[in-house]
Amino acid sequence: MDLMVWRTFVTVCRLGSLSAAAAELHHTQSAVSRQIAGLERQLGVPLMERHARGVRPTAAGEVFRHHALATLNEADRAVRAAREAGDGAAFNRPLTVGATPSLAAGVVPEAIRALLKETGSLRWSLLPGLSAPLHDRVVTGELDIAVVTDAPPGLPHDPRTERRFLGVDGMVVALPVDHPRAGGGPVRMRALADETWAEDNDGSAALLHQHAARAGVSARIELTAADLPGKLALVATGHAIALIPGVLTRGLRTDVTTVSLVDPPTRGVYTVVPRRDPHPCTAALLDHLATAFASVRPGHDGVTSGPGVAADRYGPKVR
């Protein structure tokens, strides 16, 4: 099959529009339509369907898109590897790192700063996201490394990736600075039973509900934010309190403070890299990530966030 046609199909799926894909690929819309139709004839199944705002893949199309994207990325890596072997420019290869928002806010940039001191000039990018999608982007070759957590729904096991355990991060409660419990010691979940909570993702909400259930109370999540900064904004303005990762404690905005929980919910932090064709800087970056994560110790959450901590619980497997 012609990989150019595969690229056209993947582009149409990404943009959701034949005309937008045609403009990006410098084709005519009719040429794009013919390529998609030809691909459907080859496979014997419909791959695209129209809707009010454009097109989207069918169930068969979505399955094909996933494998096509992985194949295209593998082909790109093959071309890149051959060129790098020819000119000795392996370390000129751009580094693409994915990380959950809390880890992208401090741990990962710190590790990359240490890496750049060793390598000198290096093109790199940092893409925040949730753990499961980031893992999938490592599999498809879109990311060279992802720094993720095993918060619900957990991480998938995939033989195409290699996982490294960095440590345990204890969750803390974010409060507005004028909250009655600001500046106090660790609290039990029961003491927060009457509070209004804000959440920004299902994984954090699941941790909160699980911790509340163990305490015999319920957590009233009445406000939903689009992202972590939005959740902290709701806290800062007094609308709610929120469960946040302990790694954020040192870099919080000045109108937000934290209080630790007795026996807090925790999450394991991991790196995920492809087993095949890893970036030349992968090994060094993994070491710097371990160092950066070990240096993040909130100091009041009851959990030491360093490599090897609770290894029996988190190291060999993911919950």
Side-chain angles (χ1 to χ4, degrees):
M1 289 187 180
D2 184 355
L3 290 186
M4 288 302 298
V5 177
W6 289 29
R7 291 188 191 279
T8 298
F9 174 74
V10 168
T11 303
V12 172
C13 291
R14 174 168 55 83
L15 297 176
S17 166
L18 294 173
S19 59
E24 181 171 305
L25 296 170
H26 304 291
H27 297 328
T28 64
Q29 183 171 334
S30 60
V32 170
S33 297
R34 286 196 300 272
Q35 290 181 59
I36 299 300
L39 187 58
E40 290 177 324
R41 286 194 298 272
Q42 281 185 292
L43 297 179
V45 293
L47 299 176
M48 305 296 302
E49 59 185 7
R50 294 187 178 276
H51 63 94
R53 294 185 297 275
V55 295
R56 61 190 168 208
T58 62
E62 179 58 29
V63 171
F64 182 75
R65 183 202 66 81
H66 177 79
H67 290 284
L69 183 58
T71 299
L72 291 170
N73 284 325
E74 185 67 24
D76 290 341
R77 284 196 294 267
V79 172
R80 184 173 60 240
R83 289 173 176 169
E84 289 172 350
D87 61 17
F91 282 88
N92 289 334
R93 174 174 160 185
L95 175 68
T96 306
V97 183
T100 61
S102 61
L103 295 163
V107 170
V108 175
E110 180 64 29
I112 292 177
R113 180 172 66 174
L115 176 67
L116 293 177
K117 289 181 179 179
E118 291 182 0
T119 63
S121 178
L122 173 68
R123 289 177 295 158
W124 64 277
S125 58
L126 175 57
L127 305 177
L130 298 181
S131 293
L134 289 175
H135 177 278
D136 291 344
R137 295 179 76 176
V138 172
V139 172
T140 60
E142 295 174 82
L143 295 175
D144 294 302
I145 182 170
V147 191
V148 296
T149 80
D150 63 4
L155 291 172
H157 289 277
D158 193 305
R160 293 168 292 181
T161 63
E162 184 174 346
R163 191 181 308 170
R164 176 174 174 178
F165 174 68
L166 293 182
V168 178
D169 184 27
M171 307 293 283
V172 298
V173 178
L175 309 169
V177 291
D178 58 353
H179 191 281
R181 293 194 177 274
V187 300
R188 297 187 180 278
M189 188 65 193
R190 185 174 295 275
L192 303 173
D194 294 331
E195 296 281 354
T196 296
W197 295 79
E199 270 305 343
D200 65 324
N201 69 79
D202 293 340
S204 181
L207 286 176
L208 176 57
H209 283 309
Q210 290 168 6
H211 187 72
R214 288 199 302 269
V217 298
S218 60
R220 295 187 295 111
I221 302 176
E222 297 186 357
L223 295 174
T224 301
D227 51 25
L228 185 56
K231 181 164 75 170
L232 291 174
L234 290 173
V235 173
T237 49
H239 294 290
I241 65 175
L243 192 69
I244 65 170
V247 294
L248 286 175
T249 302
R250 292 193 306 183
L252 283 177
R253 48 190 290 174
T254 57
D255 48 5
V256 173
T257 188
T258 63
V259 65
S260 60
L261 288 166
V262 175
D263 187 24
T266 61
R267 58 186 193 156
V269 177
Y270 296 82
T271 58
V272 179
V273 298
R275 291 188 181 276
R276 295 186 59 186
D277 189 33
H279 191 281
C281 293
T282 295
L285 180 57
L286 290 176
D287 290 340
H288 290 307
L289 284 166
T291 299
F293 185 74
S295 70
V296 180
R297 300 182 185 276
H300 58 273
D301 62 358
V303 177
T304 301
S305 316
V309 177
D312 291 340
R313 183 178 177 189
Y314 294 100
K317 61 184 180 179
V318 175
R319 294 173 296 169

